[in-house]
Amino acid sequence: MINFECDYAVACAPQVMDRLVQTNMEQTTTYGKDEYCKQAERLILGMVGRPEGAVYFFMGGTIANATAISFLLKPYQGVLCTTAAHINGHEAGAIEAGGNKVLALPTKDGKLTAQQIEDAVKTYQTDHAWQQLVEPGMVYISHASEYGTLYSKAELEEISAVCHQYGLPLYLDGARLGYGLMGEGNDITLYDLGRLCDMFYIGGTKQGAMFGEAMVICNSALKKGFSNMMRHKGGVLAKGRVLGLQFLALLENGLYFDLAKHANEQALRIRAIQEEKGAPIPFDSRANQQFIIASDALLKKIEEKYEVYDFGIQEDGNHLVRFSTSWYTKEDDVTALVEDLRQWL
Amino acid sequence: MINFECDYAVACAPQVMDRLVQTNMEQTTTYGKDEYCKQAERLILGMVGRPEGAVYFFMGGTIANATAISFLLKPYQGVLCTTAAHINGHEAGAIEAGGNKVLALPTKDGKLTAQQIEDAVKTYQTDHAWQQLVEPGMVYISHASEYGTLYSKAELEEISAVCHQYGLPLYLDGARLGYGLMGEGNDITLYDLGRLCDMFYIGGTKQGAMFGEAMVICNSALKKGFSNMMRHKGGVLAKGRVLGLQFLALLENGLYFDLAKHANEQALRIRAIQEEKGAPIPFDSRANQQFIIASDALLKKIEEKYEVYDFGIQEDGNHLVRFSTSWYTKEDDVTALVEDLRQWL
Amino acid sequence: MINFECDYAVACAPQVMDRLVQTNMEQTTTYGKDEYCKQAERLILGMVGRPEGAVYFFMGGTIANATAISFLLKPYQGVLCTTAAHINGHEAGAIEAGGNKVLALPTKDGKLTAQQIEDAVKTYQTDHAWQQLVEPGMVYISHASEYGTLYSKAELEEISAVCHQYGLPLYLDGARLGYGLMGEGNDITLYDLGRLCDMFYIGGTKQGAMFGEAMVICNSALKKGFSNMMRHKGGVLAKGRVLGLQFLALLENGLYFDLAKHANEQALRIRAIQEEKGAPIPFDSRANQQFIIASDALLKKIEEKYEVYDFGIQEDGNHLVRFSTSWYTKEDDVTALVEDLRQWL
Amino acid sequence: MINFECDYAVACAPQVMDRLVQTNMEQTTTYGKDEYCKQAERLILGMVGRPEGAVYFFMGGTIANATAISFLLKPYQGVLCTTAAHINGHEAGAIEAGGNKVLALPTKDGKLTAQQIEDAVKTYQTDHAWQQLVEPGMVYISHASEYGTLYSKAELEEISAVCHQYGLPLYLDGARLGYGLMGEGNDITLYDLGRLCDMFYIGGTKQGAMFGEAMVICNSALKKGFSNMMRHKGGVLAKGRVLGLQFLALLENGLYFDLAKHANEQALRIRAIQEEKGAPIPFDSRANQQFIIASDALLKKIEEKYEVYDFGIQEDGNHLVRFSTSWYTKEDDVTALVEDLRQWL
């Protein structure tokens, strides 16, 4: 079986492992207060152009999201996002565990629009029964989105502007940030994120780290209390340095971006064959996740040879199927898939 | 201004007030352990045919719902309901405050179907990533629904059957239960609720009480710990007897149903004029809340003379407007409205 | 049986009931936005000298405390109080339900000291593992305290000063505030509370109202979002006016204080006989709750004739027993008790 | 500086790292459903004699405790433990984050007694105001305790018996379980834990793993829903296999116990010099954490050369100071410390 089921089936990039091996027996301060974490923090803050900000390292995306959102919201507030948002459908209610409602707005492509945000706020503000409603308290977006689509810089600027107009912190889930930033046609940089978001995380788990996400607090007014909240949520790793070290390995020499580039290139080969065959493309993904529409019969054929992610039967009776490539995806495996799809589509 | 804005603008039915006045200076046990509460509990359990059940008295609907749902769910579970459900949109996130997700399913008429429940459970159970999803843990419906529509006994039987097939407690929000049970064409009785629901509440606040909802635990297996949860949520009234007394006054002689009947009769006069004029009727309401579609101009005319509840501008550019009657609604006021609508619609 | 078990065995003062009866059939705005609530708010803000503040009416003490504390704290913070605090031992974990830890400090007399507060903050701030600790985020005191003891104005000034020095909001639970303010030797006024506290509530339930507590936000910087939180917690009464009306009846003509004065006078007769007989007085209570130390035998004698509150067997093998008087306590009943205690002590 | 500050300053035992390196590029199923985790689960269940149980792997102790306790308790229940318990003082309110109260009972040596548990339950059950109290819902102990002390098998049997008599699940925090099981005089085995506890975890973070704790559900009736709760809390590692692999490396050949043995031997050398010098020994620790009483002057001397953990100034004006050894502690470093203490004590 060839694995296109997800982008985190392998432990970590060899360069990351090397760094862990080299430093293994060093004795350092705990809970992320060591020199490696500080060094990684400085490196990241430099890249995002927010030297006065802060970086905290998490072990995974769900605990990162849950901590950031609990931190940014008051109990009676909710987080605006799309219905496709990871926090809405795939975190087992971890946001609600903190007492906050997920205010999911409809989406076709996995992206939220500035207009949707503005409408939601105005609806709340003008409802005479506003005290009965959940107040929109922040905005959650992801880049690349859950459907592999990308925000343009112009869209992100608009979203940021409307957020700041209405006093909503803008939070970006970067579980697949590398794939997004290296996505075809992407015009957003880390520096833009530092400038336009209040908080975001650079995802490591799906992009070369054994585990780990680097939460960047861009808005220095939001630093106070974050480490308390992180501990309160159980999200602090005892030997925090292993997180800092991994991000150093990934970011110091551009490895993070090289790995993402490889994955995207392989993914776009899958897209190319869909286009070539005129197969429907459900989402305009330019990153490492590609989607196809598959009948029962087609899915069966695929699953005999490939592991994929089946989103289940859609309204039209067909399956929505996801192929993920990753930094470790082999060119030959994609070649095999492309050849098969050429026949099957 | 004539008030059709809600059904709780007056304090309480005179008979209820009389009972409070007569007993005012009596000294009784506190926190609902007094004889009046016990008497009201016995009366209610008799009416619902569940002598082995239990009744707890709450001060309002939101705290009643929040307590029952926190009680019935595990933290990682969610409550299935419609998008129109009061718990979804009008309780300021009180369910999420307890850590649970509201799993709102689409509705046109405010009612949930047995099929929707079954589909939701199966979707959860068959998703290979089920651990990432929120498990459907119970079902919430309301009768009359938020749109004034009524479940038929057959529909309720079906819902109850599918709930019990999948091990989901069935909870019914009876904020407007009297209006529902006395609704035109209703074929459900209190006894049916006792038989088909695991828990439901008989709403007092909107139906003759100064305040108060009687939570009925039909399923005696669910009694243990409920009083602890109620206290944990801050939902216990010190002088619980004033709740028991109100329900005695309402239920001993059928007052509860007489009051609801009056409200419904007045509401159906509003509906009748809509039908007469061929005006669109957004929901097939047979209870005390009637809805019209109103242009900006029409709404303006209405609001010069009447207080109504504006649900805001809908997709077609018109307002969805609610007229509530109540037990205290004056026939003459409805006559005036009907005459006006005859001209305006 | 003569009831000294608690101070809320009767529904409400006749003058309060009269006000409810007179206004019963009026139609008013809901959820506390009516004219009566506004009038009561203005009256109270005038009395506390905080015209720019706000007042919200709750149905009971637990939900009032839980809402205020959730509102004032961040999730990772805790509330400093005494081990005797109502929130620590008698609210079934309602504070923890909101995610916050109760940081209970030892007390002998039910009062917290400024020194204890300062020590707790310094301990937190100087602990090298502070991120693992719960940050003290506010202070909770009660007046009269759970043991009937009273803060002096000097003590309250000190507490307020240390709170504000360390940025901790000061919250006062006034479940028995009238009894406290009318307590023997009390030198604190409502105006002082307005000046020294950030938030406090004027308790109605135990002092002449059928139910109800008036939450006063003294510090106008804390107003934003409170009504949202109140709703989120399920603490808003639909017909809020019945709360406003009760406080108008209690406060407009000093009834609140007259009722408390009566209760205290009767309580001090119980204390006097203890002093006369040289019986040990566990707490220096000057308000409506008096405590005695009783052997099993004595308690048995008492309970044949009187309902009292037994705090259970203490370290010395005797019971700690509480006698509560209230605004409705009859002079003759206290005379009977005093005569008995004269013989029994 | 020589580090005795904690037992987790180094990443992991070389054998553990080897296993991670060897398997690094393998593609496996995610979220702990891989073969390595299954293999580790079988190994552990065999060792504890509970083949029908289950094992779940966590990234750290706080999230493990918070998940288990939220899982075992109802919202209105609390967890009985000592005031020294890690969950009471060093998890930043992570238990309260789940809505539960920590019911801390006094301790001198860090251990809870069966009698304390029974008394707490009886106090709750016999209090006439029990609905206002937090119901004791489970018991939390740790072995070795936070003070390095050990339960005897007889004590653990007694605790287990009283827990099961009163229907309280018994949970054991094994953050330092290896050090405990290899502690001087310890007579408890993994098999005993499987027999006497409902749930416990085998701590890896402090005992040779880079990170990780293996939660053992001994009582198979408690398996249902645990994986949902784990996800709901954000406690699931994407590449779960790196946890399973570490426990395989630690447990397959007894490495876990060898590492602990070494640490304990070094710790007991510190204890020996205290005994030799007649210095006060605050807790009868037989495991890897040793405590001394140090004046300001002594502490200053120590801290010039050694990193230690200062618990702050105690009532007698001296510091309570902890020396932790670990699996990586060098014999020479302890020799140096012992020589210094010989002079300084």
Side-chain angles (χ1 to χ4, degrees):
Chain A
M1 293 289 278
I2 299 176
N3 194 331
F4 293 110
E5 195 264 340
C6 73
D7 37 15
Y8 44 102
V10 160
C12 62
Q15 300 93 323
V16 170
M17 184 55 96
D18 285 350
R19 191 70 73 101
L20 294 177
V21 169
Q22 285 155 20
T23 57
N24 185 47
M25 292 302 295
E26 291 179 17
Q27 294 194 17
T28 55
T29 305
T30 54
Y31 299 125
K33 294 181 209 148
D34 61 280
E35 277 311 312
Y36 293 118
C37 284
K38 286 183 193 161
Q39 211 177 317
E41 180 180 46
R42 280 192 301 271
L43 177 65
I44 291 169
L45 293 178
M47 292 172 91
V48 305
R50 287 290 204 167
E52 77 295 354
V55 177
Y56 290 94
F57 298 99
F58 284 85
M59 292 163 276
T62 296
I63 190 78
N65 286 333
T67 302
I69 292 170
S70 280
F71 180 73
L72 291 170
L73 292 182
K74 303 238 163 64
Y76 51 82
Q77 295 179 323
V79 49
L80 291 172
C81 63
T82 72
T83 47
H86 202 258
I87 53 166
N88 187 43
H90 284 88
E91 299 189 353
I95 306 309
E96 289 82 3
N100 296 112
K101 192 175 184 80
V102 174
L103 300 167
L105 301 172
T107 183
K108 285 203 173 134
D109 60 1
K111 289 161 62 182
L112 200 64
T113 68
Q115 190 62 51
Q116 284 181 298
I117 297 167
E118 183 156 30
D119 288 351
V121 175
K122 282 191 176 161
T123 295
Y124 169 77
Q125 289 180 343
T126 60
D127 195 310
H128 52 93
W130 59 271
Q131 282 156 314
Q132 297 180 247
L133 309 185
V134 172
E135 182 184 0
M138 67 177 284
V139 168
Y140 166 103
I141 57 175
S142 42
H143 187 79
S145 81
E146 291 78 3
Y147 294 157
T149 51
L150 304 178
Y151 288 91
S152 68
K153 190 184 295 195
E155 287 169 338
L156 189 63
E157 301 253 13
E158 257 195 293
I159 288 174
S160 181
V162 80
C163 282
H164 296 133
Q165 180 182 346
Y166 291 105
L168 307 178
L170 175 59
Y171 172 74
L172 186 143
D173 180 333
R176 294 189 174 89
L177 186 58
Y179 301 129
L181 295 183
M182 297 305 284
E184 195 178 53
N186 173 71
D187 62 352
I188 292 174
T189 63
L190 275 179
Y191 188 85
D192 292 325
L193 296 180
R195 186 170 57 86
L196 298 170
C197 296
D198 293 278
M199 217 181 273
F200 72 97
Y201 79 80
I202 303 174
T205 296
K206 292 164 179 166
Q207 298 173 96
M210 187 189 288
F211 57 91
E213 332 293 331
M215 181 70 68
V216 186
I217 304 182
C218 311
N219 180 343
S220 62
L222 296 173
K223 285 157 68 172
K224 191 167 181 297
F226 191 82
S227 66
N228 298 265
M229 181 63 102
M230 194 171 167
R231 183 90 195 176
H232 182 65
K233 285 279 188 180
V236 178
L237 189 65
K239 298 162 193 175
R241 80 167 189 239
V242 301
L243 290 161
L245 281 161
Q246 293 185 76
F247 277 92
L248 282 175
L250 287 169
L251 294 171
E252 272 178 352
N253 301 304
L255 174 63
Y256 187 72
F257 300 102
D258 294 343
L259 295 175
K261 187 157 169 280
H262 168 78
N264 286 352
E265 281 168 1
Q266 298 310 315
L268 290 172
R269 291 175 63 203
I270 302 172
R271 180 181 169 118
I273 188 66
Q274 286 183 273
E275 286 175 341
E276 186 186 317
K277 300 288 290 189
I281 294 184
F283 312 114
D284 186 24
S285 168
R286 304 286 170 170
N288 78 313
Q289 301 192 112
Q290 295 296 327
F291 298 81
I292 70 164
I293 303 297
S295 64
D296 275 338
L298 173 53
L299 179 58
K300 210 176 150 215
K301 252 190 278 186
I302 292 171
E303 290 190 328
E304 277 164 19
K305 206 162 152 191
Y306 304 97
E307 286 183 90
V308 295
Y309 192 103
D310 174 16
F311 276 83
I313 293 173
Q314 308 299 299
E315 281 181 21
D316 69 353
N318 288 311
H319 294 260
L320 175 65
V321 175
R322 186 186 74 187
F323 294 89
S324 294
T325 61
S326 189
W327 56 271
Y328 51 77
T329 298
K330 289 176 196 136
E331 210 171 314
D332 286 355
D333 288 344
V334 178
T335 302
L337 174 65
V338 165
E339 286 319 305
D340 283 335
L341 289 180
R342 177 163 286 128
Q343 306 216 345
W344 296 343
L345 288 179
Chain B
M1 294 289 276
I2 299 176
N3 193 331
F4 292 109
E5 194 264 339
C6 74
D7 37 16
Y8 43 102
V10 160
C12 63
Q15 300 93 323
V16 170
M17 184 55 97
D18 286 350
R19 191 70 74 100
L20 294 177
V21 169
Q22 284 155 23
T23 57
N24 185 48
M25 293 301 294
E26 291 179 17
Q27 295 194 18
T28 55
T29 305
T30 54
Y31 298 125
K33 294 181 209 147
D34 62 280
E35 278 310 312
Y36 293 118
C37 284
K38 287 184 192 160
Q39 210 177 319
E41 181 181 45
R42 281 192 301 270
L43 177 64
I44 290 170
L45 292 178
M47 292 172 91
V48 306
R50 286 290 204 169
E52 77 293 355
V55 177
Y56 291 94
F57 298 99
F58 284 85
M59 292 163 277
T62 297
I63 190 78
N65 286 334
T67 302
I69 292 169
S70 280
F71 181 74
L72 291 170
L73 293 182
K74 302 238 162 66
Y76 51 82
Q77 296 179 322
V79 49
L80 291 171
C81 63
T82 71
T83 47
H86 202 259
I87 55 166
N88 187 43
H90 283 88
E91 299 191 352
I95 305 310
E96 289 82 3
N100 297 112
K101 193 175 183 78
V102 174
L103 300 167
L105 302 172
T107 185
K108 284 202 173 133
D109 61 1
K111 290 161 62 181
L112 200 64
T113 68
Q115 190 62 51
Q116 284 181 299
I117 297 167
E118 184 156 28
D119 289 351
V121 175
K122 283 191 176 161
T123 296
Y124 169 77
Q125 289 179 342
T126 60
D127 195 310
H128 52 92
W130 59 270
Q131 281 156 313
Q132 297 181 246
L133 308 185
V134 172
E135 182 185 359
M138 66 177 285
V139 168
Y140 166 102
I141 57 175
S142 43
H143 187 78
S145 81
E146 292 77 4
Y147 293 159
T149 51
L150 304 178
Y151 288 91
S152 68
K153 190 183 294 194
E155 288 169 339
L156 190 62
E157 302 251 14
E158 257 195 295
I159 288 174
S160 181
V162 81
C163 282
H164 297 132
Q165 180 182 348
Y166 291 105
L168 307 177
L170 174 59
Y171 172 73
L172 185 143
D173 180 332
R176 294 188 175 91
L177 185 58
Y179 299 131
L181 296 182
M182 297 305 286
E184 196 178 53
N186 172 71
D187 62 352
I188 293 174
T189 63
L190 275 179
Y191 187 86
D192 292 325
L193 297 179
R195 187 170 56 87
L196 298 170
C197 296
D198 292 280
M199 216 182 275
F200 71 97
Y201 79 80
I202 303 174
T205 297
K206 291 163 180 167
Q207 298 174 96
M210 187 188 288
F211 57 90
E213 332 293 332
M215 180 70 68
V216 186
I217 304 182
C218 311
N219 180 343
S220 62
L222 297 173
K223 284 157 68 171
K224 189 166 182 299
F226 192 82
S227 67
N228 298 265
M229 181 63 102
M230 195 171 166
R231 183 90 197 176
H232 182 65
K233 287 278 187 179
V236 178
L237 189 64
K239 298 162 193 175
R241 77 161 190 243
V242 301
L243 289 161
L245 281 161
Q246 292 185 75
F247 277 92
L248 282 175
L250 287 170
L251 294 171
E252 272 177 352
N253 300 303
L255 174 63
Y256 187 72
F257 300 102
D258 294 344
L259 295 175
K261 188 158 169 278
H262 167 79
N264 285 352
E265 283 168 0
Q266 298 310 314
L268 290 172
R269 292 175 62 203
I270 302 173
R271 182 182 168 116
I273 187 66
Q274 286 183 272
E275 286 175 342
E276 187 186 317
K277 300 287 291 187
I281 293 185
F283 312 115
D284 186 24
S285 168
R286 304 287 169 169
N288 78 313
Q289 301 193 112
Q290 295 296 328
F291 297 81
I292 70 165
I293 303 298
S295 65
D296 274 340
L298 172 53
L299 178 60
K300 212 179 148 212
K301 252 192 275 188
I302 293 171
E303 289 190 330
E304 276 165 20
K305 206 161 152 190
Y306 304 97
E307 286 182 90
V308 295
Y309 192 102
D310 174 16
F311 276 83
I313 293 173
Q314 308 299 299
E315 281 181 23
D316 68 354
N318 289 311
H319 294 261
L320 176 64
V321 176
R322 187 185 72 187
F323 293 90
S324 294
T325 61
S326 189
W327 55 272
Y328 52 77
T329 298
K330 289 178 197 135
E331 211 172 314
D332 286 357
D333 287 345
V334 179
T335 302
L337 174 65
V338 165
E339 287 318 306
D340 283 336
L341 289 181
R342 178 163 286 128
Q343 306 217 344
W344 296 343
L345 288 179
Chain C
M1 293 290 276
I2 299 176
N3 193 332
F4 292 109
E5 195 264 340
C6 74
D7 38 15
Y8 43 103
V10 160
C12 64
Q15 300 92 325
V16 170
M17 184 55 96
D18 286 350
R19 191 70 74 102
L20 294 177
V21 169
Q22 284 154 22
T23 58
N24 185 48
M25 292 302 295
E26 291 179 17
Q27 295 194 17
T28 55
T29 305
T30 54
Y31 297 125
K33 295 182 209 147
D34 62 279
E35 278 310 313
Y36 293 118
C37 283
K38 286 185 193 160
Q39 211 177 317
E41 181 181 46
R42 281 193 300 271
L43 177 65
I44 290 170
L45 293 178
M47 292 172 92
V48 306
R50 287 291 203 167
E52 77 294 355
V55 176
Y56 291 94
F57 298 99
F58 284 85
M59 292 163 278
T62 296
I63 190 78
N65 286 334
T67 302
I69 291 169
S70 280
F71 180 74
L72 290 170
L73 292 183
K74 303 238 163 62
Y76 51 82
Q77 295 179 322
V79 49
L80 292 172
C81 63
T82 71
T83 48
H86 202 259
I87 55 166
N88 187 44
H90 284 88
E91 298 190 353
I95 305 310
E96 290 82 3
N100 298 111
K101 193 175 183 79
V102 174
L103 300 168
L105 302 172
T107 184
K108 285 204 172 131
D109 61 1
K111 289 160 62 180
L112 201 64
T113 68
Q115 190 62 52
Q116 284 181 299
I117 297 167
E118 182 155 29
D119 289 351
V121 175
K122 283 191 175 161
T123 295
Y124 169 78
Q125 289 180 342
T126 60
D127 195 311
H128 52 93
W130 58 271
Q131 282 157 312
Q132 297 180 247
L133 308 185
V134 172
E135 183 185 358
M138 67 177 285
V139 169
Y140 165 102
I141 56 175
S142 42
H143 188 78
S145 81
E146 291 77 3
Y147 293 158
T149 51
L150 304 178
Y151 288 91
S152 68
K153 191 183 295 194
E155 288 169 339
L156 190 62
E157 302 253 13
E158 257 194 294
I159 288 174
S160 180
V162 81
C163 282
H164 297 133
Q165 180 183 348
Y166 291 105
L168 307 177
L170 175 58
Y171 172 74
L172 185 143
D173 180 332
R176 294 189 175 90
L177 186 58
Y179 301 131
L181 296 183
M182 298 305 285
E184 195 178 53
N186 172 71
D187 62 352
I188 292 174
T189 63
L190 275 179
Y191 187 86
D192 292 326
L193 296 179
R195 187 169 57 86
L196 298 170
C197 296
D198 292 279
M199 216 181 275
F200 72 97
Y201 79 80
I202 303 174
T205 297
K206 291 163 180 167
Q207 298 174 95
M210 187 188 288
F211 58 90
E213 331 294 331
M215 181 69 68
V216 186
I217 304 182
C218 311
N219 180 343
S220 62
L222 296 172
K223 284 157 69 171
K224 189 164 181 300
F226 192 81
S227 67
N228 298 265
M229 181 62 102
M230 195 171 166
R231 183 90 196 177
H232 182 65
K233 286 278 187 180
V236 178
L237 189 64
K239 299 163 193 175
R241 79 165 191 240
V242 301
L243 289 161
L245 281 161
Q246 292 185 74
F247 277 92
L248 282 176
L250 286 169
L251 293 171
E252 272 178 351
N253 300 303
L255 175 63
Y256 188 72
F257 301 101
D258 294 343
L259 295 175
K261 187 158 170 280
H262 168 79
N264 286 351
E265 283 168 0
Q266 298 309 314
L268 290 172
R269 292 174 63 202
I270 302 172
R271 180 181 169 119
I273 187 67
Q274 286 182 273
E275 286 175 341
E276 186 186 318
K277 300 288 292 189
I281 293 184
F283 313 115
D284 186 24
S285 167
R286 304 287 169 170
N288 78 314
Q289 301 192 114
Q290 295 296 328
F291 298 81
I292 69 166
I293 303 298
S295 64
D296 275 339
L298 173 53
L299 178 59
K300 212 179 147 212
K301 253 192 274 188
I302 292 171
E303 289 190 329
E304 277 165 18
K305 206 162 153 190
Y306 304 96
E307 287 183 88
V308 295
Y309 193 103
D310 175 15
F311 277 82
I313 292 173
Q314 308 299 299
E315 281 181 22
D316 68 353
N318 289 311
H319 294 261
L320 175 64
V321 176
R322 187 185 72 187
F323 293 89
S324 293
T325 61
S326 189
W327 55 272
Y328 52 76
T329 299
K330 288 176 197 138
E331 210 173 315
D332 286 357
D333 287 345
V334 178
T335 302
L337 174 65
V338 165
E339 287 318 307
D340 283 335
L341 289 181
R342 178 163 286 128
Q343 306 215 344
W344 296 343
L345 287 178
Chain D
M1 294 289 277
I2 299 176
N3 193 332
F4 293 109
E5 194 264 341
C6 73
D7 37 16
Y8 43 103
V10 160
C12 62
Q15 300 94 324
V16 169
M17 184 55 96
D18 287 349
R19 190 71 73 100
L20 293 176
V21 169
Q22 285 154 20
T23 57
N24 185 48
M25 291 303 294
E26 291 179 17
Q27 295 194 18
T28 55
T29 305
T30 53
Y31 299 125
K33 294 181 209 147
D34 61 280
E35 278 310 312
Y36 294 118
C37 283
K38 286 184 193 160
Q39 209 177 319
E41 180 180 47
R42 280 192 301 270
L43 177 65
I44 291 170
L45 293 178
M47 292 172 92
V48 306
R50 287 289 204 168
E52 76 296 354
V55 176
Y56 291 94
F57 298 99
F58 284 86
M59 291 162 278
T62 296
I63 190 77
N65 286 334
T67 301
I69 292 170
S70 280
F71 180 74
L72 290 171
L73 293 182
K74 303 237 163 65
Y76 51 82
Q77 295 179 323
V79 49
L80 291 171
C81 63
T82 72
T83 47
H86 202 259
I87 55 166
N88 187 44
H90 284 88
E91 299 190 352
I95 306 309
E96 290 82 3
N100 296 112
K101 192 174 183 81
V102 175
L103 300 167
L105 301 172
T107 184
K108 285 203 172 133
D109 60 1
K111 289 161 62 181
L112 200 64
T113 68
Q115 190 63 52
Q116 284 181 297
I117 296 167
E118 182 155 29
D119 288 351
V121 174
K122 283 191 176 161
T123 296
Y124 169 77
Q125 290 180 343
T126 59
D127 195 311
H128 52 94
W130 59 271
Q131 282 156 312
Q132 298 181 247
L133 309 185
V134 172
E135 182 184 0
M138 67 178 284
V139 168
Y140 165 103
I141 57 176
S142 42
H143 187 77
S145 81
E146 291 78 3
Y147 293 158
T149 51
L150 304 177
Y151 288 91
S152 68
K153 190 184 295 194
E155 287 169 339
L156 190 62
E157 301 253 13
E158 257 195 293
I159 287 174
S160 181
V162 80
C163 282
H164 296 133
Q165 180 182 348
Y166 291 105
L168 306 178
L170 175 59
Y171 172 74
L172 185 142
D173 180 332
R176 294 190 175 89
L177 185 59
Y179 301 130
L181 296 183
M182 297 306 284
E184 195 178 54
N186 172 70
D187 62 353
I188 292 175
T189 63
L190 275 179
Y191 188 86
D192 292 326
L193 296 180
R195 187 170 56 87
L196 298 170
C197 297
D198 293 278
M199 215 181 275
F200 72 98
Y201 79 80
I202 303 174
T205 296
K206 292 164 180 167
Q207 298 173 96
M210 188 189 287
F211 57 91
E213 332 294 331
M215 181 70 68
V216 186
I217 303 182
C218 311
N219 180 343
S220 62
L222 297 173
K223 284 157 68 171
K224 190 165 182 297
F226 192 81
S227 67
N228 298 264
M229 181 63 103
M230 195 172 165
R231 183 91 195 175
H232 181 64
K233 286 278 187 179
V236 178
L237 189 64
K239 298 163 193 174
R241 81 168 189 238
V242 300
L243 289 161
L245 281 161
Q246 293 185 75
F247 277 92
L248 283 175
L250 288 170
L251 294 171
E252 272 178 352
N253 300 303
L255 175 63
Y256 187 71
F257 300 102
D258 293 342
L259 295 175
K261 187 158 169 280
H262 168 79
N264 286 351
E265 282 168 1
Q266 298 309 314
L268 290 172
R269 291 175 63 202
I270 302 172
R271 181 180 168 118
I273 188 68
Q274 286 182 274
E275 286 175 341
E276 186 186 317
K277 300 287 291 189
I281 294 184
F283 312 114
D284 186 24
S285 167
R286 304 287 169 170
N288 78 315
Q289 301 191 113
Q290 295 296 328
F291 297 81
I292 71 164
I293 303 297
S295 64
D296 275 338
L298 173 53
L299 179 59
K300 210 177 149 214
K301 252 190 277 187
I302 292 171
E303 289 190 328
E304 277 165 19
K305 205 161 152 191
Y306 304 97
E307 286 182 88
V308 295
Y309 193 103
D310 175 15
F311 277 82
I313 293 172
Q314 309 298 299
E315 281 181 23
D316 68 353
N318 290 311
H319 295 260
L320 176 64
V321 175
R322 187 186 73 187
F323 294 89
S324 294
T325 61
S326 190
W327 56 271
Y328 51 77
T329 299
K330 289 177 196 135
E331 209 172 315
D332 286 356
D333 288 344
V334 178
T335 302
L337 174 65
V338 165
E339 286 319 306
D340 284 335
L341 289 180
R342 178 164 286 128
Q343 305 215 345
W344 296 343
L345 287 179

